[in-house]
Amino acid sequence: MKQIMDVTLPITLTNSNDGQGRAWFSSAKSRKVMERDLIALGHRREPFEHPVKVVITRILGKNQRFWDSSSVLRGNYKQLEDAMVECGWFHDDSTKYITVTLGLQDASQRKNGPATRIQIFDAS
């Protein structure tokens, strides 16, 4: 599997359900903030033209603890993914374009955290 992108963003993943559920406006606000941050960091791009696999790594900061493995993509990751779509990373977030999303955690880079590493691999 060929890696085609590897970027670490100063964005903190949460595992709470802030912005989830019936209060769609909170979710939309969070997505817009992340979109603004991606643009400010220079992360607008043209969409990948082929299917990709996405690996999201939560880089822990000082005093942060590991979450249950199922919690990595639970909280605000969806808003980050939607912001990446809005910034042109993907045509959309359907399985036609993103075939797999895997969430990991890394405590070995605490000096760089909290942050989010995004690795994208060719899935065609």
Side-chain angles (χ1 to χ4, degrees), residues 35-107:
E35 180 182 348
R36 185 193 67 220
D37 291 347
L38 287 172
I39 291 168
L41 292 166
H43 289 292
R44 274 198 185 275
R45 55 164 289 119
E46 293 297 316
F48 297 103
E49 292 300 324
H50 47 75
V52 297
K53 295 180 182 183
V54 179
V55 177
I56 302 301
T57 304
R58 173 184 173 242
I59 299 173
L60 280 69
K62 184 178 179 179
N63 298 323
Q64 286 185 315
R65 296 180 185 182
F66 282 102
W67 298 332
D68 294 343
S69 62
S70 59
S71 294
V72 176
L73 300 176
R74 177 181 150 210
N76 66 347
Y77 174 70
K78 179 62 178 155
Q79 287 78 20
L80 176 56
E81 181 179 71
D82 289 345
M84 291 186 293
V85 169
E86 289 298 318
C87 287
W89 292 37
F90 315 107
H91 290 283
D92 64 50
D93 57 0
S94 70
T95 56
K96 178 178 179 181
Y97 296 103
I98 303 173
T99 63
V100 173
T101 304
L102 175 65
L104 304 174
Q105 300 177 82
D106 181 355

